[in-house]
Amino acid sequence: MAELWGSVVVSLLFWGFANEINTVDEAKKYYPAFGLVANVALIFSGQYVRYVSALRASLAPGVDAWGYSLKLLMAAIIAGGVGVLSIFEFIQRKVMTDPDCMDMKKEDEKKKSKKNKVEMSAGESVSFLAGSPYIRDLAALVVGYGMAINIVEVTWKSKLKAAFPDPNNYSAFMGNFSTATGIVTLLMMLGGRVIFKRFGWGAAAAITPITLLTTGVAFFSLILFPAVFAPLTAKLGTTPLMLAVLIGAAQNILSKGAKYSLFDPCKEMAYIPLDSESKTKGKAAIDVICNPLGKSGGSFIQQFLIGVTGSLSASTPYLGGILGVIIVGWLNAAKSLSKRISDDEAKQLTRDVLIQV
C-alpha cells in the first residue's frame, strides 16, 4: 500500500490537478520542468535516506537504531505532506480565484465538459479493444510494461533482502538506489529529445522493452546459474548474489528512466493520429482494462507460480521464461503499431514530442 501511495495515488492526484489548472500551451512549457524537478527531489530524498542510515552507527548501545531512523524518515514524510497541503490550499484560495491568474470562462467550460466525459464499462472497453487493432497494439504496450516491471521488481527485491538482511544496510542501499534512479532519469529525459529526433517513434518505443530484456537475461542467469559465474564473481571480489542484486538495480534504474523519458511520451504520442472519438474511447478503454491488468497481471502470475512451486525461489526459472515471452510480445506490438503510423503522422509525432520534451 505504501508503494502504491507514492507511485500511483500521489502521482495521479498531482497530474490530475496540473491538467486541471494548466492550459495546453502552459503544459508544453512547464510539464518537462515538473518531470525534471520530480527527479531532482528523488536524488535528494535518496541522500536523506542514506544520511539517516549512517546516523544509526553513531547511536549509543541499547538504542533502537531502526526505530530511531524510522521516526526521522516519517518526520520527513509528514513535513513534506504538510508542505504539499499548504501549497495546494494556497493555490485553491489565492490562485484559482484570481481573475489575473485564471480564465474564469474557461474554468466554467471545463466544469461543463467534465459532465460530458466519456466513461466506459469494462464490457464496453473489451468490445472497443477487440474491434480496433491500433488500440490493441497500444494496449499491449501498457499491459506488457506493467506485467514485466512487476515481475522484475518483486524478484529483485527478494534477492535484495537476501543480500542485505540487516534493515539498516537495506535502507542505505535503497537510498543510493533512489539517488541513482533520479540521476539516470534526468539524463535520459534530456537525451530522449535526441532519440526521437534521430531515430523516430519506433526506435524510441523499443528501447524500454529491449532494456528490460537484456538486463533481465543477465539478472536471471546469475540467479539460476550461480556456479557458472562463481569464478568471475570471485575475481571481482563479490558473489553471484551480490552481482545479481547490482545488475537488478541497474535493470530497475534503466527501465524506470526509459519509462519516464521514452515509454510514456511514446504512449501519449500514439493517440495523436486517432480521430477524436477513437482517441477518447481508446484512453477510456486502456484506463479501465489495461492499466489494472498490467499492474495486477504480474502479481497474479507470481502468486500462481508460488502456489504451484512452493516458493518464489523455486518459481524464478518460470518467471524468467514468462518475462521473456511478455517482452517479445511487447516488442511485436511496438513494431506493429509503428507500421500502423504513416510516415506523415510519424513526422507529426516527432514534431509534437520535440515541442513537449
Short mmCIF file of all heavy atoms in Angstrom, two decimals, residues 310-335:
data_model
loop_
_atom_site.label_atom_id
_atom_site.label_comp_id
_atom_site.label_asym_id
_atom_site.label_seq_id
_atom_site.Cartn_x
_atom_site.Cartn_y
_atom_site.Cartn_z
N GLY A 310 5.77 -23.67 -4.57
CA GLY A 310 6.00 -23.65 -3.13
C GLY A 310 6.78 -22.44 -2.62
O GLY A 310 6.76 -22.14 -1.43
N SER A 311 7.52 -21.73 -3.49
CA SER A 311 8.28 -20.56 -3.04
C SER A 311 8.63 -19.70 -4.24
O SER A 311 8.56 -20.14 -5.40
CB SER A 311 9.56 -20.98 -2.32
OG SER A 311 10.47 -21.58 -3.24
N LEU A 312 9.01 -18.44 -3.94
CA LEU A 312 9.39 -17.53 -5.01
C LEU A 312 10.69 -17.98 -5.67
O LEU A 312 10.84 -17.88 -6.89
CB LEU A 312 9.56 -16.11 -4.44
CG LEU A 312 9.94 -15.02 -5.45
CD1 LEU A 312 8.87 -14.89 -6.54
CD2 LEU A 312 10.12 -13.66 -4.74
N SER A 313 11.62 -18.53 -4.88
CA SER A 313 12.89 -19.00 -5.43
C SER A 313 12.67 -20.14 -6.42
O SER A 313 13.29 -20.19 -7.49
CB SER A 313 13.82 -19.46 -4.30
OG SER A 313 14.14 -18.39 -3.45
N ALA A 314 11.78 -21.06 -6.06
CA ALA A 314 11.51 -22.20 -6.94
C ALA A 314 10.81 -21.78 -8.23
O ALA A 314 10.93 -22.44 -9.26
CB ALA A 314 10.67 -23.24 -6.20
N SER A 315 10.07 -20.67 -8.16
CA SER A 315 9.33 -20.20 -9.34
C SER A 315 10.17 -19.29 -10.23
O SER A 315 9.71 -18.92 -11.32
CB SER A 315 8.07 -19.45 -8.90
OG SER A 315 8.39 -18.26 -8.20
N THR A 316 11.38 -18.93 -9.80
CA THR A 316 12.21 -17.99 -10.55
C THR A 316 12.49 -18.42 -11.99
O THR A 316 12.40 -17.60 -12.91
CB THR A 316 13.53 -17.73 -9.81
OG1 THR A 316 13.25 -17.15 -8.53
CG2 THR A 316 14.41 -16.76 -10.59
N PRO A 317 12.83 -19.70 -12.26
CA PRO A 317 13.06 -20.10 -13.66
C PRO A 317 11.85 -19.85 -14.56
O PRO A 317 11.99 -19.40 -15.70
CB PRO A 317 13.39 -21.59 -13.56
CG PRO A 317 13.85 -21.79 -12.16
CD PRO A 317 13.08 -20.82 -11.34
N TYR A 318 10.67 -20.14 -14.02
CA TYR A 318 9.45 -19.95 -14.81
C TYR A 318 9.17 -18.45 -15.01
O TYR A 318 8.70 -18.04 -16.08
CB TYR A 318 8.27 -20.61 -14.11
CG TYR A 318 8.49 -22.08 -13.84
CD1 TYR A 318 8.86 -22.53 -12.57
CD2 TYR A 318 8.37 -23.03 -14.85
CE1 TYR A 318 9.08 -23.87 -12.31
CE2 TYR A 318 8.58 -24.38 -14.61
CZ TYR A 318 8.93 -24.80 -13.34
OH TYR A 318 9.16 -26.13 -13.09
N LEU A 319 9.46 -17.65 -13.98
CA LEU A 319 9.26 -16.20 -14.10
C LEU A 319 10.17 -15.62 -15.17
O LEU A 319 9.76 -14.73 -15.93
CB LEU A 319 9.53 -15.51 -12.76
CG LEU A 319 8.48 -15.74 -11.66
CD1 LEU A 319 8.95 -15.11 -10.35
CD2 LEU A 319 7.14 -15.14 -12.08
N GLY A 320 11.41 -16.12 -15.23
CA GLY A 320 12.34 -15.65 -16.25
C GLY A 320 11.82 -15.95 -17.65
O GLY A 320 11.88 -15.10 -18.55
N GLY A 321 11.30 -17.15 -17.85
CA GLY A 321 10.74 -17.51 -19.16
C GLY A 321 9.51 -16.70 -19.51
O GLY A 321 9.36 -16.24 -20.66
N ILE A 322 8.63 -16.51 -18.53
CA ILE A 322 7.42 -15.72 -18.77
C ILE A 322 7.77 -14.27 -19.09
O ILE A 322 7.16 -13.64 -19.96
CB ILE A 322 6.48 -15.81 -17.55
CG1 ILE A 322 5.92 -17.23 -17.43
CG2 ILE A 322 5.35 -14.80 -17.66
CD1 ILE A 322 5.15 -17.47 -16.16
N LEU A 323 8.77 -13.73 -18.38
CA LEU A 323 9.21 -12.36 -18.65
C LEU A 323 9.68 -12.22 -20.09
O LEU A 323 9.35 -11.24 -20.77
CB LEU A 323 10.34 -11.98 -17.69
CG LEU A 323 10.96 -10.59 -17.89
CD1 LEU A 323 9.93 -9.50 -17.61
CD2 LEU A 323 12.18 -10.40 -16.98
N GLY A 324 10.43 -13.21 -20.57
CA GLY A 324 10.89 -13.18 -21.95
C GLY A 324 9.74 -13.17 -22.95
O GLY A 324 9.74 -12.43 -23.93
N VAL A 325 8.73 -14.01 -22.68
CA VAL A 325 7.56 -14.07 -23.57
C VAL A 325 6.82 -12.74 -23.58
O VAL A 325 6.40 -12.24 -24.64
CB VAL A 325 6.62 -15.21 -23.13
CG1 VAL A 325 5.31 -15.16 -23.92
CG2 VAL A 325 7.29 -16.56 -23.32
N ILE A 326 6.65 -12.14 -22.40
CA ILE A 326 5.95 -10.86 -22.30
C ILE A 326 6.68 -9.78 -23.09
O ILE A 326 6.06 -8.99 -23.84
CB ILE A 326 5.80 -10.44 -20.82
CG1 ILE A 326 4.82 -11.37 -20.10
CG2 ILE A 326 5.33 -8.99 -20.71
CD1 ILE A 326 4.77 -11.17 -18.61
N ILE A 327 8.00 -9.73 -22.94
CA ILE A 327 8.76 -8.68 -23.62
C ILE A 327 8.77 -8.88 -25.13
O ILE A 327 8.67 -7.90 -25.88
CB ILE A 327 10.20 -8.63 -23.06
CG1 ILE A 327 10.18 -8.18 -21.60
CG2 ILE A 327 11.07 -7.68 -23.89
CD1 ILE A 327 11.53 -8.18 -20.92
N VAL A 328 8.85 -10.12 -25.58
CA VAL A 328 8.79 -10.37 -27.02
C VAL A 328 7.44 -9.92 -27.58
O VAL A 328 7.36 -9.30 -28.65
CB VAL A 328 9.03 -11.87 -27.31
CG1 VAL A 328 8.71 -12.19 -28.77
CG2 VAL A 328 10.48 -12.24 -27.01
N GLY A 329 6.35 -10.23 -26.86
CA GLY A 329 5.03 -9.76 -27.28
C GLY A 329 4.93 -8.25 -27.29
O GLY A 329 4.32 -7.64 -28.19
N TRP A 330 5.55 -7.62 -26.29
CA TRP A 330 5.60 -6.15 -26.19
C TRP A 330 6.33 -5.56 -27.40
O TRP A 330 5.86 -4.59 -28.01
CB TRP A 330 6.27 -5.82 -24.87
CG TRP A 330 6.48 -4.39 -24.55
CD1 TRP A 330 6.12 -3.29 -25.28
CD2 TRP A 330 7.12 -3.89 -23.37
NE1 TRP A 330 6.50 -2.14 -24.62
CE2 TRP A 330 7.10 -2.48 -23.46
CE3 TRP A 330 7.71 -4.48 -22.26
CZ2 TRP A 330 7.66 -1.67 -22.46
CZ3 TRP A 330 8.26 -3.68 -21.27
CH2 TRP A 330 8.22 -2.29 -21.37
N LEU A 331 7.47 -6.14 -27.76
CA LEU A 331 8.24 -5.65 -28.90
C LEU A 331 7.46 -5.82 -30.21
O LEU A 331 7.48 -4.93 -31.08
CB LEU A 331 9.57 -6.40 -28.99
CG LEU A 331 10.66 -5.96 -28.01
CD1 LEU A 331 11.80 -6.97 -28.01
CD2 LEU A 331 11.18 -4.57 -28.36
N ASN A 332 6.77 -6.95 -30.36
CA ASN A 332 5.97 -7.16 -31.56
C ASN A 332 4.84 -6.14 -31.67
O ASN A 332 4.53 -5.66 -32.76
CB ASN A 332 5.40 -8.58 -31.56
CG ASN A 332 6.45 -9.63 -31.84
OD1 ASN A 332 7.45 -9.35 -32.51
ND2 ASN A 332 6.24 -10.84 -31.34
N ALA A 333 4.23 -5.82 -30.52
CA ALA A 333 3.16 -4.82 -30.53
C ALA A 333 3.71 -3.44 -30.91
O ALA A 333 3.06 -2.69 -31.66
CB ALA A 333 2.49 -4.77 -29.16
N ALA A 334 4.89 -3.11 -30.40
CA ALA A 334 5.51 -1.82 -30.73
C ALA A 334 5.84 -1.74 -32.22
O ALA A 334 5.64 -0.71 -32.87
CB ALA A 334 6.76 -1.60 -29.89
N LYS A 335 6.35 -2.86 -32.76
CA LYS A 335 6.68 -2.91 -34.18
C LYS A 335 5.42 -2.77 -35.04
O LYS A 335 5.40 -2.04 -36.04
CB LYS A 335 7.40 -4.22 -34.49
CG LYS A 335 7.86 -4.34 -35.94
CD LYS A 335 8.59 -5.67 -36.14
CE LYS A 335 9.06 -5.81 -37.59
NZ LYS A 335 9.77 -7.10 -37.80
#
